[in-house]
Amino acid sequence: MNSQSKLQETEYVPLEQELKREPSINTKKRKNLKNVGLFALFVGPALLAFCVIVLIPFFTGIYYSFTDWNGVNGTINWVGLDNFKYLFTEDKQFQQSFWVTTKYTVVAIILTNVVGFVLAILVTQMLKTRNILRTVFFMPNLIGGLLLGFVWQFIFVKGFASIGQITGISLFELPWLGDAKTAFWGIVIVSVWQGAGYIMLIYTAALQNVPQELIEAAKIDGASRWQILRHITIPMVAPAVTVCLFLTISWSFKVFDVNLSLTNGGPFKSTEMLALNIYTEAFVNNRYGLGEAKALIFFIVVAAITIIQVTYTKKKEVES
């Protein structure tokens, strides 16, 4: 009798435990399914849109870069690396656009960041009008590139000519959009004027997080404003520098709307940037395959430069 009761006990306890565990397992499965469902509900549409708008066109574009498709009819012939050979050996306009874009990018990055940083220092001072100044400096960024280009085209052609006639200052009498050198600087002026306000906001947020105790201690120790800026302020805003450099590199390489509306690549295609050159090749000259080959080279170059920049500046952040 004792042995039977012991056997029943030993058999009954595990079964009871399993019955108790079973609802918890089902509950976990339900929670997991619920989490998967919520994830699919919120992330699914965005992921689908990203695939349709970005990934699928990206990979089809890579395919078309190895073809001679004109973008209109259904005849697509595989040409291999012929498009890329043509770009590096015969297409002089592509090479010139690449050089102009590189030169513009270097100048625009430096000026936009310097102007944005100076404006950020200005609006973080104890000025009564600092909020108004922030609004005024940021407003050009709210204007679309095409509209901005047409407005500045009127300023360069009509406004500067009128000021030059009244004042006699030679700077305003220059053919700003009629000469290759001045047209290039016209694009730079408009781009810096538009982008500096956005960069200013990022630097402003970073400057406001600099501990004032460090600055006060440096002043007590006799440090000058330049020494404080060089050894305290700039190292403390290094993460903002990384972000601003990344943004300005991306903006400068991809400049299109200002280039199109301000000069349309002129005079004589001397200011035609890469984005405008790709657009013209694909949609004006109806050589879509060749335009995709240019776009692929453009993507590789910009991706490589931005990766190198972010890696280098991140290391500098750690060192500082």
Side-chain angles (χ1 to χ4, degrees), residues 79-112:
V79 296
L81 297 174
D82 289 351
N83 288 334
F84 300 94
K85 291 178 182 177
Y86 173 78
L87 295 180
F88 288 110
T89 56
E90 299 181 32
D91 196 342
K92 301 300 181 183
Q93 184 56 45
F94 175 72
Q95 298 170 19
Q96 181 184 345
S97 297
F98 199 98
W99 162 244
V100 172
T101 305
T102 303
K103 183 173 67 170
Y104 164 81
T105 300
V106 173
V107 176
I109 288 170
I110 295 172
L111 291 180
T112 304

PDB file of all heavy atoms in Angstrom, residues 79-112:
ATOM      1  N   VAL A  79      25.663  45.158 -72.859  1.00  0.00           N
ATOM      2  CA  VAL A  79      26.927  45.642 -73.443  1.00  0.00           C
ATOM      3  C   VAL A  79      28.102  45.456 -72.493  1.00  0.00           C
ATOM      4  O   VAL A  79      29.233  45.848 -72.822  1.00  0.00           O
ATOM      5  CB  VAL A  79      26.810  47.132 -73.844  1.00  0.00           C
ATOM      6  CG1 VAL A  79      25.779  47.309 -74.946  1.00  0.00           C
ATOM      7  CG2 VAL A  79      26.489  48.007 -72.643  1.00  0.00           C
ATOM      8  N   GLY A  80      27.868  44.919 -71.325  1.00  0.00           N
ATOM      9  CA  GLY A  80      28.965  44.672 -70.387  1.00  0.00           C
ATOM     10  C   GLY A  80      29.570  45.951 -69.844  1.00  0.00           C
ATOM     11  O   GLY A  80      28.865  46.847 -69.378  1.00  0.00           O
ATOM     12  N   LEU A  81      30.880  46.054 -69.941  1.00  0.00           N
ATOM     13  CA  LEU A  81      31.609  47.201 -69.393  1.00  0.00           C
ATOM     14  C   LEU A  81      31.833  48.312 -70.413  1.00  0.00           C
ATOM     15  O   LEU A  81      32.609  49.237 -70.153  1.00  0.00           O
ATOM     16  CB  LEU A  81      32.967  46.742 -68.848  1.00  0.00           C
ATOM     17  CG  LEU A  81      32.917  45.753 -67.670  1.00  0.00           C
ATOM     18  CD1 LEU A  81      34.328  45.279 -67.322  1.00  0.00           C
ATOM     19  CD2 LEU A  81      32.261  46.385 -66.454  1.00  0.00           C
ATOM     20  N   ASP A  82      31.147  48.241 -71.556  1.00  0.00           N
ATOM     21  CA  ASP A  82      31.363  49.244 -72.609  1.00  0.00           C
ATOM     22  C   ASP A  82      31.000  50.649 -72.136  1.00  0.00           C
ATOM     23  O   ASP A  82      31.685  51.628 -72.485  1.00  0.00           O
ATOM     24  CB  ASP A  82      30.554  48.891 -73.855  1.00  0.00           C
ATOM     25  CG  ASP A  82      31.122  47.671 -74.575  1.00  0.00           C
ATOM     26  OD1 ASP A  82      32.222  47.224 -74.189  1.00  0.00           O
ATOM     27  OD2 ASP A  82      30.459  47.156 -75.497  1.00  0.00           O
ATOM     28  N   ASN A  83      29.918  50.778 -71.370  1.00  0.00           N
ATOM     29  CA  ASN A  83      29.519  52.102 -70.868  1.00  0.00           C
ATOM     30  C   ASN A  83      30.605  52.709 -69.987  1.00  0.00           C
ATOM     31  O   ASN A  83      30.916  53.905 -70.085  1.00  0.00           O
ATOM     32  CB  ASN A  83      28.217  51.986 -70.076  1.00  0.00           C
ATOM     33  CG  ASN A  83      27.014  51.736 -70.968  1.00  0.00           C
ATOM     34  OD1 ASN A  83      27.010  52.108 -72.136  1.00  0.00           O
ATOM     35  ND2 ASN A  83      25.990  51.100 -70.411  1.00  0.00           N
ATOM     36  N   PHE A  84      31.181  51.903 -69.117  1.00  0.00           N
ATOM     37  CA  PHE A  84      32.206  52.403 -68.202  1.00  0.00           C
ATOM     38  C   PHE A  84      33.493  52.742 -68.953  1.00  0.00           C
ATOM     39  O   PHE A  84      34.171  53.724 -68.618  1.00  0.00           O
ATOM     40  CB  PHE A  84      32.474  51.373 -67.104  1.00  0.00           C
ATOM     41  CG  PHE A  84      31.270  51.057 -66.270  1.00  0.00           C
ATOM     42  CD1 PHE A  84      30.455  49.981 -66.581  1.00  0.00           C
ATOM     43  CD2 PHE A  84      30.927  51.860 -65.188  1.00  0.00           C
ATOM     44  CE1 PHE A  84      29.331  49.690 -65.819  1.00  0.00           C
ATOM     45  CE2 PHE A  84      29.813  51.581 -64.420  1.00  0.00           C
ATOM     46  CZ  PHE A  84      29.010  50.494 -64.736  1.00  0.00           C
ATOM     47  N   LYS A  85      33.841  51.952 -69.955  1.00  0.00           N
ATOM     48  CA  LYS A  85      35.021  52.266 -70.780  1.00  0.00           C
ATOM     49  C   LYS A  85      34.823  53.594 -71.502  1.00  0.00           C
ATOM     50  O   LYS A  85      35.747  54.410 -71.588  1.00  0.00           O
ATOM     51  CB  LYS A  85      35.265  51.139 -71.785  1.00  0.00           C
ATOM     52  CG  LYS A  85      35.727  49.834 -71.168  1.00  0.00           C
ATOM     53  CD  LYS A  85      35.888  48.756 -72.232  1.00  0.00           C
ATOM     54  CE  LYS A  85      36.294  47.426 -71.614  1.00  0.00           C
ATOM     55  NZ  LYS A  85      36.393  46.352 -72.639  1.00  0.00           N
ATOM     56  N   TYR A  86      33.614  53.802 -72.006  1.00  0.00           N
ATOM     57  CA  TYR A  86      33.324  55.053 -72.714  1.00  0.00           C
ATOM     58  C   TYR A  86      33.436  56.262 -71.784  1.00  0.00           C
ATOM     59  O   TYR A  86      33.974  57.305 -72.174  1.00  0.00           O
ATOM     60  CB  TYR A  86      31.923  54.969 -73.323  1.00  0.00           C
ATOM     61  CG  TYR A  86      31.446  56.263 -73.934  1.00  0.00           C
ATOM     62  CD1 TYR A  86      31.902  56.680 -75.183  1.00  0.00           C
ATOM     63  CD2 TYR A  86      30.544  57.090 -73.248  1.00  0.00           C
ATOM     64  CE1 TYR A  86      31.470  57.868 -75.741  1.00  0.00           C
ATOM     65  CE2 TYR A  86      30.104  58.272 -73.800  1.00  0.00           C
ATOM     66  CZ  TYR A  86      30.567  58.660 -75.047  1.00  0.00           C
ATOM     67  OH  TYR A  86      30.150  59.846 -75.585  1.00  0.00           O
ATOM     68  N   LEU A  87      32.967  56.111 -70.557  1.00  0.00           N
ATOM     69  CA  LEU A  87      33.000  57.223 -69.616  1.00  0.00           C
ATOM     70  C   LEU A  87      34.423  57.634 -69.271  1.00  0.00           C
ATOM     71  O   LEU A  87      34.722  58.828 -69.158  1.00  0.00           O
ATOM     72  CB  LEU A  87      32.236  56.862 -68.337  1.00  0.00           C
ATOM     73  CG  LEU A  87      30.731  56.626 -68.475  1.00  0.00           C
ATOM     74  CD1 LEU A  87      30.127  56.291 -67.127  1.00  0.00           C
ATOM     75  CD2 LEU A  87      30.042  57.853 -69.061  1.00  0.00           C
ATOM     76  N   PHE A  88      35.304  56.677 -69.091  1.00  0.00           N
ATOM     77  CA  PHE A  88      36.667  56.981 -68.653  1.00  0.00           C
ATOM     78  C   PHE A  88      37.615  57.302 -69.810  1.00  0.00           C
ATOM     79  O   PHE A  88      38.714  57.813 -69.575  1.00  0.00           O
ATOM     80  CB  PHE A  88      37.234  55.812 -67.844  1.00  0.00           C
ATOM     81  CG  PHE A  88      36.610  55.669 -66.481  1.00  0.00           C
ATOM     82  CD1 PHE A  88      35.779  54.607 -66.190  1.00  0.00           C
ATOM     83  CD2 PHE A  88      36.839  56.616 -65.495  1.00  0.00           C
ATOM     84  CE1 PHE A  88      35.196  54.472 -64.939  1.00  0.00           C
ATOM     85  CE2 PHE A  88      36.259  56.496 -64.237  1.00  0.00           C
ATOM     86  CZ  PHE A  88      35.437  55.426 -63.961  1.00  0.00           C
ATOM     87  N   THR A  89      37.213  57.027 -71.033  1.00  0.00           N
ATOM     88  CA  THR A  89      38.119  57.253 -72.162  1.00  0.00           C
ATOM     89  C   THR A  89      37.631  58.338 -73.124  1.00  0.00           C
ATOM     90  O   THR A  89      38.432  59.135 -73.617  1.00  0.00           O
ATOM     91  CB  THR A  89      38.318  55.942 -72.946  1.00  0.00           C
ATOM     92  OG1 THR A  89      37.046  55.430 -73.374  1.00  0.00           O
ATOM     93  CG2 THR A  89      39.027  54.903 -72.078  1.00  0.00           C
ATOM     94  N   GLU A  90      36.308  58.400 -73.381  1.00  0.00           N
ATOM     95  CA  GLU A  90      35.809  59.281 -74.440  1.00  0.00           C
ATOM     96  C   GLU A  90      34.901  60.405 -73.951  1.00  0.00           C
ATOM     97  O   GLU A  90      34.819  61.448 -74.602  1.00  0.00           O
ATOM     98  CB  GLU A  90      35.049  58.447 -75.492  1.00  0.00           C
ATOM     99  CG  GLU A  90      35.910  57.390 -76.170  1.00  0.00           C
ATOM    100  CD  GLU A  90      35.127  56.615 -77.201  1.00  0.00           C
ATOM    101  OE1 GLU A  90      34.218  57.212 -77.825  1.00  0.00           O
ATOM    102  OE2 GLU A  90      35.397  55.413 -77.388  1.00  0.00           O
ATOM    103  N   ASP A  91      34.217  60.190 -72.848  1.00  0.00           N
ATOM    104  CA  ASP A  91      33.241  61.181 -72.385  1.00  0.00           C
ATOM    105  C   ASP A  91      33.959  62.300 -71.616  1.00  0.00           C
ATOM    106  O   ASP A  91      34.086  62.266 -70.389  1.00  0.00           O
ATOM    107  CB  ASP A  91      32.187  60.520 -71.503  1.00  0.00           C
ATOM    108  CG  ASP A  91      30.956  61.398 -71.305  1.00  0.00           C
ATOM    109  OD1 ASP A  91      31.055  62.614 -71.549  1.00  0.00           O
ATOM    110  OD2 ASP A  91      29.898  60.880 -70.895  1.00  0.00           O
ATOM    111  N   LYS A  92      34.421  63.297 -72.332  1.00  0.00           N
ATOM    112  CA  LYS A  92      35.158  64.412 -71.711  1.00  0.00           C
ATOM    113  C   LYS A  92      34.250  65.269 -70.826  1.00  0.00           C
ATOM    114  O   LYS A  92      34.708  65.819 -69.818  1.00  0.00           O
ATOM    115  CB  LYS A  92      35.801  65.281 -72.797  1.00  0.00           C
ATOM    116  CG  LYS A  92      36.765  64.534 -73.712  1.00  0.00           C
ATOM    117  CD  LYS A  92      37.923  63.932 -72.929  1.00  0.00           C
ATOM    118  CE  LYS A  92      38.886  63.204 -73.852  1.00  0.00           C
ATOM    119  NZ  LYS A  92      39.993  62.544 -73.096  1.00  0.00           N
ATOM    120  N   GLN A  93      32.969  65.386 -71.204  1.00  0.00           N
ATOM    121  CA  GLN A  93      32.057  66.199 -70.412  1.00  0.00           C
ATOM    122  C   GLN A  93      31.817  65.580 -69.035  1.00  0.00           C
ATOM    123  O   GLN A  93      31.727  66.295 -68.032  1.00  0.00           O
ATOM    124  CB  GLN A  93      30.720  66.355 -71.150  1.00  0.00           C
ATOM    125  CG  GLN A  93      29.724  67.261 -70.442  1.00  0.00           C
ATOM    126  CD  GLN A  93      30.281  68.656 -70.174  1.00  0.00           C
ATOM    127  OE1 GLN A  93      30.894  69.267 -71.035  1.00  0.00           O
ATOM    128  NE2 GLN A  93      30.071  69.151 -68.952  1.00  0.00           N
ATOM    129  N   PHE A  94      31.738  64.256 -68.977  1.00  0.00           N
ATOM    130  CA  PHE A  94      31.588  63.576 -67.681  1.00  0.00           C
ATOM    131  C   PHE A  94      32.812  63.821 -66.805  1.00  0.00           C
ATOM    132  O   PHE A  94      32.684  64.095 -65.609  1.00  0.00           O
ATOM    133  CB  PHE A  94      31.382  62.080 -67.901  1.00  0.00           C
ATOM    134  CG  PHE A  94      31.344  61.283 -66.629  1.00  0.00           C
ATOM    135  CD1 PHE A  94      30.256  61.349 -65.779  1.00  0.00           C
ATOM    136  CD2 PHE A  94      32.412  60.469 -66.279  1.00  0.00           C
ATOM    137  CE1 PHE A  94      30.222  60.613 -64.601  1.00  0.00           C
ATOM    138  CE2 PHE A  94      32.386  59.731 -65.100  1.00  0.00           C
ATOM    139  CZ  PHE A  94      31.287  59.803 -64.268  1.00  0.00           C
ATOM    140  N   GLN A  95      33.980  63.745 -67.382  1.00  0.00           N
ATOM    141  CA  GLN A  95      35.218  63.986 -66.625  1.00  0.00           C
ATOM    142  C   GLN A  95      35.295  65.427 -66.144  1.00  0.00           C
ATOM    143  O   GLN A  95      35.705  65.695 -65.009  1.00  0.00           O
ATOM    144  CB  GLN A  95      36.424  63.628 -67.494  1.00  0.00           C
ATOM    145  CG  GLN A  95      36.469  62.163 -67.898  1.00  0.00           C
ATOM    146  CD  GLN A  95      37.523  61.863 -68.946  1.00  0.00           C
ATOM    147  OE1 GLN A  95      38.460  62.640 -69.151  1.00  0.00           O
ATOM    148  NE2 GLN A  95      37.391  60.737 -69.621  1.00  0.00           N
ATOM    149  N   GLN A  96      34.888  66.369 -67.001  1.00  0.00           N
ATOM    150  CA  GLN A  96      34.886  67.770 -66.586  1.00  0.00           C
ATOM    151  C   GLN A  96      33.860  68.000 -65.475  1.00  0.00           C
ATOM    152  O   GLN A  96      34.145  68.713 -64.501  1.00  0.00           O
ATOM    153  CB  GLN A  96      34.564  68.670 -67.778  1.00  0.00           C
ATOM    154  CG  GLN A  96      34.557  70.157 -67.430  1.00  0.00           C
ATOM    155  CD  GLN A  96      34.140  71.036 -68.593  1.00  0.00           C
ATOM    156  OE1 GLN A  96      34.121  70.596 -69.732  1.00  0.00           O
ATOM    157  NE2 GLN A  96      33.799  72.288 -68.306  1.00  0.00           N
ATOM    158  N   SER A  97      32.672  67.409 -65.603  1.00  0.00           N
ATOM    159  CA  SER A  97      31.652  67.557 -64.563  1.00  0.00           C
ATOM    160  C   SER A  97      32.139  66.961 -63.243  1.00  0.00           C
ATOM    161  O   SER A  97      31.857  67.513 -62.170  1.00  0.00           O
ATOM    162  CB  SER A  97      30.352  66.863 -64.998  1.00  0.00           C
ATOM    163  OG  SER A  97      29.817  67.472 -66.145  1.00  0.00           O
ATOM    164  N   PHE A  98      32.857  65.857 -63.319  1.00  0.00           N
ATOM    165  CA  PHE A  98      33.397  65.243 -62.108  1.00  0.00           C
ATOM    166  C   PHE A  98      34.394  66.183 -61.425  1.00  0.00           C
ATOM    167  O   PHE A  98      34.371  66.343 -60.202  1.00  0.00           O
ATOM    168  CB  PHE A  98      34.093  63.924 -62.470  1.00  0.00           C
ATOM    169  CG  PHE A  98      34.273  63.003 -61.308  1.00  0.00           C
ATOM    170  CD1 PHE A  98      33.383  61.978 -61.086  1.00  0.00           C
ATOM    171  CD2 PHE A  98      35.330  63.161 -60.429  1.00  0.00           C
ATOM    172  CE1 PHE A  98      33.535  61.115 -60.004  1.00  0.00           C
ATOM    173  CE2 PHE A  98      35.492  62.320 -59.344  1.00  0.00           C
ATOM    174  CZ  PHE A  98      34.592  61.297 -59.134  1.00  0.00           C
ATOM    175  N   TRP A  99      35.240  66.836 -62.209  1.00  0.00           N
ATOM    176  CA  TRP A  99      36.219  67.761 -61.646  1.00  0.00           C
ATOM    177  C   TRP A  99      35.532  68.994 -61.057  1.00  0.00           C
ATOM    178  O   TRP A  99      35.872  69.443 -59.954  1.00  0.00           O
ATOM    179  CB  TRP A  99      37.226  68.169 -62.707  1.00  0.00           C
ATOM    180  CG  TRP A  99      38.003  69.402 -62.378  1.00  0.00           C
ATOM    181  CD1 TRP A  99      37.983  70.588 -63.045  1.00  0.00           C
ATOM    182  CD2 TRP A  99      38.904  69.578 -61.282  1.00  0.00           C
ATOM    183  NE1 TRP A  99      38.809  71.499 -62.449  1.00  0.00           N
ATOM    184  CE2 TRP A  99      39.404  70.912 -61.349  1.00  0.00           C
ATOM    185  CE3 TRP A  99      39.344  68.771 -60.253  1.00  0.00           C
ATOM    186  CZ2 TRP A  99      40.297  71.430 -60.441  1.00  0.00           C
ATOM    187  CZ3 TRP A  99      40.248  69.275 -59.331  1.00  0.00           C
ATOM    188  CH2 TRP A  99      40.717  70.592 -59.423  1.00  0.00           C
ATOM    189  N   VAL A 100      34.560  69.549 -61.777  1.00  0.00           N
ATOM    190  CA  VAL A 100      33.842  70.726 -61.288  1.00  0.00           C
ATOM    191  C   VAL A 100      33.097  70.396 -59.995  1.00  0.00           C
ATOM    192  O   VAL A 100      33.099  71.188 -59.039  1.00  0.00           O
ATOM    193  CB  VAL A 100      32.857  71.250 -62.365  1.00  0.00           C
ATOM    194  CG1 VAL A 100      31.960  72.341 -61.798  1.00  0.00           C
ATOM    195  CG2 VAL A 100      33.617  71.786 -63.563  1.00  0.00           C
ATOM    196  N   THR A 101      32.475  69.222 -59.946  1.00  0.00           N
ATOM    197  CA  THR A 101      31.744  68.813 -58.741  1.00  0.00           C
ATOM    198  C   THR A 101      32.691  68.638 -57.558  1.00  0.00           C
ATOM    199  O   THR A 101      32.361  69.028 -56.429  1.00  0.00           O
ATOM    200  CB  THR A 101      30.987  67.497 -58.996  1.00  0.00           C
ATOM    201  OG1 THR A 101      30.145  67.659 -60.140  1.00  0.00           O
ATOM    202  CG2 THR A 101      30.143  67.110 -57.793  1.00  0.00           C
ATOM    203  N   THR A 102      33.861  68.054 -57.798  1.00  0.00           N
ATOM    204  CA  THR A 102      34.845  67.872 -56.728  1.00  0.00           C
ATOM    205  C   THR A 102      35.313  69.223 -56.188  1.00  0.00           C
ATOM    206  O   THR A 102      35.379  69.434 -54.968  1.00  0.00           O
ATOM    207  CB  THR A 102      36.051  67.069 -57.240  1.00  0.00           C
ATOM    208  OG1 THR A 102      35.600  65.812 -57.760  1.00  0.00           O
ATOM    209  CG2 THR A 102      37.050  66.817 -56.113  1.00  0.00           C
ATOM    210  N   LYS A 103      35.631  70.140 -57.097  1.00  0.00           N
ATOM    211  CA  LYS A 103      36.076  71.469 -56.675  1.00  0.00           C
ATOM    212  C   LYS A 103      34.974  72.200 -55.916  1.00  0.00           C
ATOM    213  O   LYS A 103      35.223  72.797 -54.853  1.00  0.00           O
ATOM    214  CB  LYS A 103      36.500  72.282 -57.910  1.00  0.00           C
ATOM    215  CG  LYS A 103      37.054  73.661 -57.583  1.00  0.00           C
ATOM    216  CD  LYS A 103      37.621  74.332 -58.836  1.00  0.00           C
ATOM    217  CE  LYS A 103      36.535  74.656 -59.826  1.00  0.00           C
ATOM    218  NZ  LYS A 103      37.037  75.515 -60.948  1.00  0.00           N
ATOM    219  N   TYR A 104      33.754  72.119 -56.431  1.00  0.00           N
ATOM    220  CA  TYR A 104      32.626  72.755 -55.752  1.00  0.00           C
ATOM    221  C   TYR A 104      32.397  72.153 -54.371  1.00  0.00           C
ATOM    222  O   TYR A 104      32.122  72.875 -53.406  1.00  0.00           O
ATOM    223  CB  TYR A 104      31.370  72.611 -56.615  1.00  0.00           C
ATOM    224  CG  TYR A 104      30.094  72.867 -55.871  1.00  0.00           C
ATOM    225  CD1 TYR A 104      29.631  74.165 -55.644  1.00  0.00           C
ATOM    226  CD2 TYR A 104      29.336  71.806 -55.372  1.00  0.00           C
ATOM    227  CE1 TYR A 104      28.464  74.395 -54.942  1.00  0.00           C
ATOM    228  CE2 TYR A 104      28.172  72.032 -54.680  1.00  0.00           C
ATOM    229  CZ  TYR A 104      27.736  73.322 -54.464  1.00  0.00           C
ATOM    230  OH  TYR A 104      26.581  73.540 -53.763  1.00  0.00           O
ATOM    231  N   THR A 105      32.494  70.830 -54.254  1.00  0.00           N
ATOM    232  CA  THR A 105      32.255  70.146 -52.984  1.00  0.00           C
ATOM    233  C   THR A 105      33.237  70.599 -51.921  1.00  0.00           C
ATOM    234  O   THR A 105      32.857  70.885 -50.777  1.00  0.00           O
ATOM    235  CB  THR A 105      32.347  68.621 -53.180  1.00  0.00           C
ATOM    236  OG1 THR A 105      31.359  68.208 -54.137  1.00  0.00           O
ATOM    237  CG2 THR A 105      32.114  67.887 -51.871  1.00  0.00           C
ATOM    238  N   VAL A 106      34.525  70.669 -52.274  1.00  0.00           N
ATOM    239  CA  VAL A 106      35.552  71.094 -51.313  1.00  0.00           C
ATOM    240  C   VAL A 106      35.269  72.515 -50.822  1.00  0.00           C
ATOM    241  O   VAL A 106      35.277  72.788 -49.612  1.00  0.00           O
ATOM    242  CB  VAL A 106      36.957  71.002 -51.948  1.00  0.00           C
ATOM    243  CG1 VAL A 106      38.003  71.604 -51.015  1.00  0.00           C
ATOM    244  CG2 VAL A 106      37.305  69.550 -52.254  1.00  0.00           C
ATOM    245  N   VAL A 107      34.983  73.417 -51.752  1.00  0.00           N
ATOM    246  CA  VAL A 107      34.732  74.819 -51.390  1.00  0.00           C
ATOM    247  C   VAL A 107      33.455  74.947 -50.571  1.00  0.00           C
ATOM    248  O   VAL A 107      33.420  75.636 -49.535  1.00  0.00           O
ATOM    249  CB  VAL A 107      34.657  75.694 -52.654  1.00  0.00           C
ATOM    250  CG1 VAL A 107      34.290  77.126 -52.290  1.00  0.00           C
ATOM    251  CG2 VAL A 107      35.984  75.675 -53.403  1.00  0.00           C
ATOM    252  N   ALA A 108      32.389  74.277 -50.994  1.00  0.00           N
ATOM    253  CA  ALA A 108      31.095  74.395 -50.310  1.00  0.00           C
ATOM    254  C   ALA A 108      31.148  73.795 -48.907  1.00  0.00           C
ATOM    255  O   ALA A 108      30.551  74.342 -47.969  1.00  0.00           O
ATOM    256  CB  ALA A 108      30.007  73.709 -51.129  1.00  0.00           C
ATOM    257  N   ILE A 109      31.849  72.681 -48.742  1.00  0.00           N
ATOM    258  CA  ILE A 109      31.958  72.060 -47.410  1.00  0.00           C
ATOM    259  C   ILE A 109      32.638  73.008 -46.436  1.00  0.00           C
ATOM    260  O   ILE A 109      32.161  73.237 -45.317  1.00  0.00           O
ATOM    261  CB  ILE A 109      32.735  70.731 -47.504  1.00  0.00           C
ATOM    262  CG1 ILE A 109      31.885  69.669 -48.189  1.00  0.00           C
ATOM    263  CG2 ILE A 109      33.137  70.246 -46.113  1.00  0.00           C
ATOM    264  CD1 ILE A 109      32.654  68.412 -48.525  1.00  0.00           C
ATOM    265  N   ILE A 110      33.765  73.567 -46.857  1.00  0.00           N
ATOM    266  CA  ILE A 110      34.526  74.454 -45.967  1.00  0.00           C
ATOM    267  C   ILE A 110      33.715  75.693 -45.617  1.00  0.00           C
ATOM    268  O   ILE A 110      33.553  76.046 -44.437  1.00  0.00           O
ATOM    269  CB  ILE A 110      35.865  74.842 -46.625  1.00  0.00           C
ATOM    270  CG1 ILE A 110      36.755  73.598 -46.789  1.00  0.00           C
ATOM    271  CG2 ILE A 110      36.591  75.897 -45.792  1.00  0.00           C
ATOM    272  CD1 ILE A 110      38.012  73.841 -47.596  1.00  0.00           C
ATOM    273  N   LEU A 111      33.174  76.363 -46.638  1.00  0.00           N
ATOM    274  CA  LEU A 111      32.460  77.619 -46.395  1.00  0.00           C
ATOM    275  C   LEU A 111      31.168  77.403 -45.608  1.00  0.00           C
ATOM    276  O   LEU A 111      30.857  78.178 -44.694  1.00  0.00           O
ATOM    277  CB  LEU A 111      32.152  78.312 -47.724  1.00  0.00           C
ATOM    278  CG  LEU A 111      33.361  78.878 -48.481  1.00  0.00           C
ATOM    279  CD1 LEU A 111      32.917  79.538 -49.779  1.00  0.00           C
ATOM    280  CD2 LEU A 111      34.117  79.882 -47.628  1.00  0.00           C
ATOM    281  N   THR A 112      30.414  76.353 -45.936  1.00  0.00           N
ATOM    282  CA  THR A 112      29.152  76.117 -45.235  1.00  0.00           C
ATOM    283  C   THR A 112      29.386  75.831 -43.762  1.00  0.00           C
ATOM    284  O   THR A 112      28.677  76.342 -42.890  1.00  0.00           O
ATOM    285  CB  THR A 112      28.386  74.947 -45.881  1.00  0.00           C
ATOM    286  OG1 THR A 112      28.200  75.217 -47.272  1.00  0.00           O
ATOM    287  CG2 THR A 112      27.027  74.760 -45.225  1.00  0.00           C
TER     288      THR A 112
END
